[in-house]
Amino acid sequence: QSPLPADAPLWVLVLLALFIPPLAVFLKQGITQWFWIDLILTLFGFGFRWSPYIGGFFLAAVIIALLVVFDFL
């Protein structure tokens, strides 16, 4: 159940999950544990340019956001 008054369409949430994962989680659930986990993974994915694991952090954030959008988490 979304804490916001207007629910975003599913296709908008999926696009946001692919490009801005924490925003999709926030619009779907609000500020929950999954929002914070997704935000941290996204920041790690964008923050450490020298790390070989950049893609892994961001990919994990996208996967979590998609699981939240499709109500698996």
Side-chain angles (χ1 to χ4, degrees):
Q1 173 143 13
S2 177
L4 302 176
D7 288 331
L10 183 63
W11 66 270
V12 171
L13 291 175
V14 170
L15 281 178
L16 286 173
L18 294 174
F19 295 106
I20 312 170
L23 182 58
V25 174
F26 173 75
L27 290 176
K28 182 69 177 179
Q29 291 186 343
I31 297 180
T32 62
Q33 67 183 7
W34 293 114
F35 168 78
W36 291 113
I37 292 170
D38 207 57
L39 180 65
I40 290 169
L41 287 172
T42 302
L43 291 175
F44 278 154
F46 286 129
F48 299 127
R49 296 281 179 208
W50 49 267
S51 173
Y53 302 108
I54 295 170
F57 285 126
F58 188 73
L59 181 62
V62 169
I63 290 171
I64 288 173
L66 288 172
L67 289 173
V68 167
V69 165
F70 288 115
D71 291 324
F72 287 111
L73 292 180

